[in-house]
Structure formats: C-alpha cells, structure tokens
Amino acid sequence: MPDFPTGFRWGVSTSAYQIEGATTVDGRGPSIWDTFAREPGRIVDGSTGDEACDHYHRHAEDTALLAGLGVSAYRFSIAWPRVQPTGAGPAHAAGLDFYDRLVDGLLAAGVDPVATLFHWDLPQALEDAGGWLNRDTAARFAEYADLTAARLGDRVKLWITLNEPFIHMSLGHGIGTHAPGRMLLFDAFPVAHHQLLGHGLAVAALRARTTSPVAIANNYSPVRQVGDTDADRAAAQAYDALHNRLFTDPLLGRGYPDAPGLDPAVVRDGDLDVLATPIDVLGVNYYNPTGIRAPEEGSPLPFEMVPLDGYPRTAFDWPVAPDGLRELLLQLHERYGDALPPVQVTESGCAYDDVPDAQGRVDDPERIAYLDGHLRAVHEAITAGVPVTGYFVWSLLDNWEWAEGFTKRFGLVHVDYPTQRRTPKSSYAWFRDLARR
Ligand code: BGC
C-alpha cells in the first residue's frame, strides 16, 4: 500500500440503531425503526434492533477495540430519540449522558469522536406528524442539533448532519423497504428537500455551538450505462441526477439539478440559500456502481437497474468495484471544482459470511482484498488531485443490517449475537497495521 498524506484520518463507522440495543433504557423514545422492524415481513430474519450489539452497555469494550485498532477517528451516530424522546422539547439528560461517556472514553483512548446526528432513526412522534414529508421536521432537526452540540460541541471533532439522505428518501419513502415504509415513488421529493433544509439549518445551529468542522455524509454510486441508445443515455443521466446530484448540487450552491420527481412547489424562497450553507467536509459513502438502462415501456420509473457482470460479488450480491470509488471521487472533483470541500470517505466496506473456525478465529481475506482495493483507489484519486483527507471502514462491528437483520456481516470484528462475544477478524489486524503505519 502506498503512503497516504500526513494527517490522513483513518477511521471506522457505525450507527446507533444498528449497534446500541437498549431501545427502552434510560427514557429513550421509540423511533421509526422500532416500529418498522415490528411489522411482519419487513426484516428478513424477523429480528429487531432491540439488543443489536448491546453497545449501549458494552461501549467501553468497544472503545478498547478501537484503541487496539489504532484508528484516529470513530464515526458513530447519536440516536435522536435518546436526546428528545418525542422529537421535541428540552434535551433528555440521561440520553445525552450516554454519548458524553462515549465521547470521553474515545478521547481518553486517543480516538477522535465523529458524530452523525441522523442515521435514519427518526423519533416516532415526528413520523406521526408527517416525518420528513412535513417541513416542520427540518426545524425540529436544527433544534435537536443545537441541544446535542450544547452538550458535546466542545469535544466532537467532526459533526455530520445527515447520513445518506438519498437512501432514506428512496428506500424509506420511495419504495418502502426501509422505515418508515412509505411507497411514494417520486412523490417522495419533499423528503429530499426537507432533509436538506434540516441539514442547512443544523449547520448554522452547530456553528453557533462549536468550532469543529461540519459535514454531511452522502451515498454515491457511479452509473454504468448498459446499452447505447439515446434512451439508455437519458436513463443513465436521470439516475445519476437522482442518486449523485440531487443531494450535492444544492449543497454546493448549484441549486437542484433536473432530476426525476423534482417538485419546485416544495421549495420556498430563500431555501436554496439555506441548503447551500457552507460545509467544511463532504462525507462520501461508497459501496458499488449501478448499472442502468432504458426502462421497459409502461414502467413507472425513467430508468431500469441492471446487475453488472464481470465483478466479484459480496454476500449482499453487490459488485466489488474499487475503480468505481476512484471514478466517483474524480467525478466530484470535475463536477464541482473549487466548490468541492475536502472529502472524507465516511463509509466503505463489504458483507461476507464470516464464520469462526474450530479455534474461534475469523479469517476474512475477501474483506482485506476489498479494503486494499478501495484504499488504493482513494490513493489514486489523491494523486490525481482530489482532496481526500480520510477513510472510514463500514463497520467496526458486525451489526443489525436494517431490512437484512442479522444476516449480513460488515464488521472488522465478528459478533456472536447470542453471547455478544467480540472476535477481531483478520481484517482487523490488517487495518490496524495499516492505520499504525
Ligand atoms: C448505511 C449503513 C449500512 C451500509 C450497508 C449504508 O447505506 O449508511 O447504515 O449498514 O450502507 O448497507
């Protein structure tokens, strides 16, 4: 592996609902994922995040794993329903106490706390009032950001407002495979706009409380056009606008692109200025490219997704395509030029069916190859002039993978859920050696 620039941030990521468990402890309110996971048929193995990795009670052990890994940063998310159990009103001290302990533990271990404010676990009470379809949720989000930063603003080293607003819109509100399970297709656009409005308002709220840098973590997927007709080209462009530009163009001062479903009536005077509130870092989450061709006649979508041949595949059946990461970093640089702030890869990782051997060891050479390839892609992008300043592996621990329940393992550390025993995989040792170097 070639050398990375001095100061490059080596990290790992997790999110609250996927690891914490303790969903009814210390006054946490219900979130949309508690509700959704209980609906029959939503989660493949019928599980919930009620216990997950029990990180709420085992955070000291997990912080020791981070220290052993030698990473300089840990990206976790804060559960809004712990801070405001009903999504409104004063801060719930017991909820913030947990993050206070976590942050102090990280700092004592020499690990920078990187906090995401929203990783999809909206307080259920806000969903009952319309959720992100309701413009007021943006204002509620800024209030929650303010309350959280009032307590942790002096110690969190990087704030991330939203995680993957595109995925929350499309899977949660477009096709309903994630919470809250709405199937609005392109009528889900208000969810995009209100999240971005909440982001802009939250950036301002954070700035008033902290001097730490502020970011958003977007999901990107370079589009591989399948077929060569004008209709295929138009389909690829439409998908690219939706996935890669809808949540970035307005943040970087370009206004909305021409994307399917865009409804100008939702956007009020002055909103675009709020969306373009300057950020210090752009978080990039990358897993795989997307194959797109023209839709069949009569399709409700202006594109069709097609599996991409010729790549190795993860247990999620996602293509392993490190070149896609280099491509998207170069594309961001070309598209936005000087308007692009420094980039940190805030998620990159893969699921494999990791099983302990007879000695209890977990060997995961595919994950090592995956990370090696993706880090080399990042290095190539840096060499080509893209300002990339960090890379976070998804994920520290095997955890509760949303609609896939416990069936997909993304961790550098294996978790045996019945006993909650943590076993570092061989990829943990590999990444440790790299991060130390
Ligand atoms: C999400 C994570 C998720 C990962 C793997 C990302 O879209 O931010 O929460 O576990 O992908 O599916």
Side-chain angles (χ1 to χ4, degrees):
M1 182 68 61
D3 283 339
F4 280 73
T6 310
F8 190 81
R9 186 173 248 161
W10 298 90
V12 288
S13 293
T14 63
S15 91
Y17 191 68
Q18 294 179 271
I19 64 165
E20 285 178 0
T23 51
T24 55
V25 173
D26 291 338
R28 176 188 176 279
S31 83
I32 56 173
W33 274 97
D34 297 288
T35 308
F36 184 79
R38 285 184 161 63
E39 291 170 11
R42 295 295 203 181
I43 312 299
V44 292
D45 58 2
S47 63
T48 69
D50 286 0
E51 187 175 341
C53 304
D54 195 31
H55 168 77
Y56 192 83
H57 297 114
R58 294 168 197 261
H59 66 89
E61 183 185 350
D62 295 337
T63 298
L65 284 166
L66 290 161
L69 191 55
V71 285
S72 53
Y74 171 52
R75 174 179 173 234
F76 58 96
S77 84
I78 293 172
W80 188 346
R82 290 199 194 279
V83 178
Q84 289 180 299
T86 60
H92 178 61
L96 277 168
D97 288 349
F98 168 68
Y99 298 106
D100 208 73
R101 292 193 291 275
L102 175 68
V103 162
D104 283 347
L106 291 168
L107 291 170
V111 178
D112 284 353
V114 173
T116 304
L117 286 167
F118 181 68
H119 202 123
W120 306 344
D121 45 358
L122 191 77
Q124 181 61 44
L126 291 184
E127 185 61 30
D128 297 341
W132 288 109
L133 288 165
N134 179 353
R135 188 178 165 97
D136 186 54
T137 299
R140 299 277 70 76
F141 181 63
E143 188 182 284
Y144 152 62
D146 172 64
L147 295 173
T148 307
R151 182 79 180 270
L152 304 173
D154 55 335
R155 284 159 294 152
V156 166
K157 302 296 181 202
L158 172 66
W159 289 91
I160 297 176
T161 55
L162 306 174
N163 178 69
E164 300 187 348
F166 168 71
I167 301 293
H168 191 54
M169 175 191 75
S170 55
L171 301 194
H173 301 77
I175 60 171
T177 55
H178 275 190
R182 296 188 195 253
M183 293 172 66
L184 300 170
L185 290 181
F186 292 114
D187 290 339
F189 173 71
V191 174
H193 185 62
H194 297 149
Q195 285 185 94
L196 288 174
L197 190 64
H199 156 82
L201 295 170
V203 173
L206 291 167
R207 297 258 187 248
R209 293 280 187 191
T210 171
T211 53
S212 291
V214 180
I216 187 170
N218 274 332
N219 184 290
Y220 295 95
S221 179
V223 175
R224 301 271 195 270
Q225 184 185 317
V226 176
D228 201 24
T229 65
D230 286 349
D232 293 323
R233 226 177 322 282
Q237 262 171 27
Y239 188 78
D240 185 46
L242 193 64
H243 195 138
N244 296 315
R245 294 180 52 205
L246 187 65
F247 294 87
T248 308
D249 282 15
L251 292 178
L252 301 182
R254 299 268 173 98
Y256 280 114
D258 177 17
L262 190 100
D263 178 2
V266 176
V267 184
R268 296 195 190 160
D269 278 357
D271 282 2
L272 289 176
D273 292 336
V274 177
L275 268 56
T277 306
I279 50 175
D280 306 297
V281 170
L282 178 67
V284 165
N285 294 1
Y286 169 73
Y287 289 90
N288 52 261
T290 305
I292 294 290
R293 71 175 168 217
E296 302 272 326
E297 252 193 56
S299 161
L301 301 178
F303 47 76
E304 184 186 329
M305 293 182 173
V306 277
L308 288 167
D309 297 331
Y311 293 99
R313 311 192 85 80
T314 70
F316 231 127
D317 207 26
W318 294 348
V320 177
D323 52 330
L325 179 54
R326 184 192 56 236
E327 180 185 328
L328 91 80
L329 291 169
L330 291 172
Q331 194 175 61
L332 284 168
H333 192 46
E334 267 164 39
R335 265 187 188 158
Y336 302 108
D338 290 344
L340 183 72
V343 168
Q344 296 193 11
V345 177
T346 33
E347 285 183 30
S348 169
C350 50
Y352 288 105
D353 297 327
D354 306 312
V355 185
D357 67 14
Q359 284 74 44
R361 283 191 301 254
V362 186
D363 196 20
D364 56 344
E366 301 98 333
R367 181 167 292 101
I368 294 174
Y370 185 102
L371 297 175
D372 183 86
H374 285 73
L375 275 158
R376 285 174 194 275
V378 170
H379 193 273
E380 285 164 19
I382 295 173
T383 306
V386 189
V388 190
T389 58
Y391 179 92
F392 293 72
V393 177
W394 183 271
S395 180
L396 172 65
L397 303 170
D398 290 343
N399 60 48
W400 193 79
E401 176 53 34
W402 308 117
E404 304 296 317
F406 290 113
T407 66
K408 297 288 180 287
R409 295 182 174 275
F410 276 90
L412 297 177
V413 175
H414 181 274
V415 178
D416 177 59
Y417 297 111
T419 60
Q420 292 296 352
R421 199 179 126 89
R422 274 90 162 126
T423 306
K425 304 177 189 176
S426 50
S427 58
Y428 174 96
W430 179 86
F431 195 65
R432 177 195 62 209
D433 292 347
L434 194 66
R436 280 197 185 148
R437 211 185 80 189

